[in-house]
Amino acid sequence: APSRLRAVGSLEARRSTKAGMAATRGTVTLRVIEAHFEEAFVDAPVNSTYCAVCVLEKTRWRRRRSQARGRGAGEDPMRPVWNEEFELDEVRDDSRIVVDVWNCAAAGGDSDAFYGKVTLRLAELALAKLSTDAAWHELLPGRIQLQLRWDPADGDGTPLAAPIPRGAPLPLTADAVATHDQNGGAAAAAAAAAKVERAAV
């Protein structure tokens, strides 16, 4: 019973401390660079794609939208390039940045096709102390390259980049999928061996 009371008291103390901490505000700059789609994972012909950017805070949300790319002169619908930058002020450091990728419906089509979502948490990026390099994120039919920066209003500026997920920026080909599966199998085998070793001890 005493240990349980100490645990509960510790949890309440952490909640109280967290509640007393005011969120830092700053400027978020998100650069949507480009995307690569793989034909094997695309159900219908790619027309042109755009990104919907949402900044989700505790008391409000803001939305921006990129241009649709892929059908202009010299553009490749399977390799759309945006190079668009979105800047929003007074953003809390506990906010989430959500990027939805959509394929525009063809003429006479029903609705735009959803190609995937990337969620970036400012708090997690700050703790990770990541580099400023642009990073790739997985989508349903491929991947997208993003770069994120957050400049605190009361500091000199803290550049933050989106984390690179495991396996990126490898294309989602059969070889890449097989390599990913092999790596996953090796990791699972190592974990199982460690578990057996601990049990033996």
Side-chain angles (χ1 to χ4, degrees):
S3 61
R4 183 177 183 276
L5 290 176
R6 283 197 297 271
V8 172
S10 176
L11 177 60
E12 291 177 347
R14 289 197 300 270
R15 288 176 175 172
S16 177
T17 301
K18 184 176 180 180
M21 294 175 60
T24 301
R25 296 181 182 275
T27 300
V28 164
T29 304
L30 176 70
R31 188 160 66 99
V32 180
I33 304 173
E34 62 178 323
H36 292 176
F37 303 133
E38 303 298 328
E39 294 182 2
F41 295 89
V42 175
D43 295 332
V46 179
N47 183 31
S48 58
T49 50
Y50 64 90
C51 300
V53 178
C54 292
V55 177
L56 306 179
E57 301 181 76
K58 290 185 178 297
T59 57
R60 63 177 177 174
W61 65 277
R62 287 174 274 178
R63 188 173 187 270
R64 301 289 186 273
R65 172 174 166 167
S66 74
Q67 297 291 322
R69 299 296 184 190
R71 287 301 183 190
E75 295 183 348
D76 182 355
M78 299 298 290
R79 299 288 187 272
V81 177
W82 296 280
N83 274 330
E84 289 190 47
E85 196 169 273
F86 302 91
E87 183 176 294
L88 297 100
D89 298 324
E90 291 295 312
V91 178
R92 294 167 54 106
D93 61 354
D94 55 0
S95 302
R96 289 177 295 157
I97 314 300
V98 180
V99 181
D100 291 334
V101 182
W102 298 86
N103 176 33
C104 297
D110 294 331
S111 59
D112 297 348
F114 181 61
Y115 270 14
K117 171 183 296 189
V118 176
T119 300
L120 307 172
R121 299 176 184 274
L122 291 183
E124 293 179 2
L125 294 175
L127 290 174
K129 297 181 180 179
L130 300 167
S131 70
T132 59
D133 294 336
W136 290 93
H137 295 265
E138 299 299 331
L139 298 172
L140 298 175
R143 60 194 187 279
I144 186 171
Q145 190 179 38
L146 306 171
Q147 187 170 24
L148 180 67
R149 179 185 176 94
W150 183 67
D151 297 305
D154 57 349
D156 296 330
T158 303
L160 301 171
I164 302 177
R166 181 181 179 185
L170 288 176
L172 296 179
T173 60
D175 291 339
V177 172
T179 300
H180 186 277
D181 290 343
Q182 290 171 3
N183 292 339
K195 184 175 181 181
V196 171
E197 184 178 351
R198 289 195 299 270
V201 173

